[in-house]
Amino acid sequence: VVRETEPRASDKAGGVGIAVQADAATKLASELVVRGTLVEKNHDVGISVVGSKATVEATVVRETQPRASDKAFGRGIVAQPDAATKLASELVVRGTLVEKNHDVGILVLGSKATVEATIVRETQPQASDKIRGRGIVAQADPVTKLASELVLLGTLVEKNHEIGISVEGS
């Protein structure tokens, strides 16, 4: 169980539940496997994958809270490139429940993802401006210009606020 990670007191940033990132010095991707885990009520992002590989199986990512500093985000799972290494992420989400997060349930930004036998539901709008609330988003990364690749298999996307599945420039 990874629950209620608090942001830093100094700037109200952070509070991410689980983070995996490429090593800037060696330019090597990291690898993470999360299985049978509850990731709940953390801040900013439940599971963050930056320039790395991650597999999330039989896990619940629920009620990620917005950033304390500006009330933005509160995303469930995010896979994105690493700005320093330019490495894209590779994400597999299987048999997982992603629910009641804010802004986006699963965000694939300039990376590759396979989402299989997963439920993404009840994504709430961003607390700061009451916009979005999207279930799954795959879009090109504005910095690296990398497009995303998304494969959905046997996945239920329901009761999200604005859009169930959004693919932009990918």
Side-chain angles (χ1 to χ4, degrees):
V1 174
V2 180
R3 180 185 289 141
E4 297 179 18
T5 306
E6 292 293 323
R8 290 186 299 266
S10 62
D11 61 1
K12 304 280 189 222
V16 173
I18 299 173
V20 59
Q21 186 166 350
D23 184 305
T26 63
K27 298 193 187 307
L28 294 174
S30 296
E31 290 192 37
L32 170 72
V33 175
V34 178
R35 185 174 293 123
T37 302
L38 173 63
V39 181
E40 182 177 59
K41 295 182 181 177
N42 298 286
H43 286 83
D44 194 13
V45 179
I47 300 176
S48 173
V49 183
V50 180
S52 296
K53 297 177 182 180
T55 300
V56 180
E57 293 182 324
T59 290
V60 175
V61 181
R62 178 188 298 145
E63 295 182 44
T64 307
Q65 301 301 301
R67 277 193 306 226
S69 61
D70 60 4
K71 302 296 182 210
F73 305 144
R75 296 168 171 168
I77 302 172
V78 176
Q80 66 186 51
D82 184 284
T85 65
K86 305 294 188 254
L87 292 171
S89 289
E90 294 179 26
L91 173 68
V92 175
V93 180
R94 185 179 297 118
T96 291
L97 174 62
V98 180
E99 74 173 350
K100 297 182 182 176
N101 297 288
H102 291 83
D103 188 38
V104 179
I106 299 175
L107 173 61
V108 183
L109 185 64
S111 297
K112 296 178 182 178
T114 299
V115 180
E116 180 179 0
T118 289
I119 297 171
V120 181
R121 68 176 169 217
E122 296 182 52
T123 308
Q124 302 300 304
Q126 192 168 243
S128 61
D129 53 16
K130 304 296 185 212
I131 62 171
R132 289 185 287 277
R134 299 174 178 182
I136 300 174
V137 173
Q139 66 184 49
D141 180 70
V143 175
T144 64
K145 308 299 184 211
L146 293 170
S148 288
E149 294 179 25
L150 174 65
V151 176
L152 294 174
L153 302 165
T155 292
L156 174 64
V157 180
E158 69 175 353
K159 298 182 183 177
N160 296 286
H161 182 73
E162 183 190 54
I163 297 173
I165 301 168
S166 174
V167 179
E168 303 171 23
S170 295

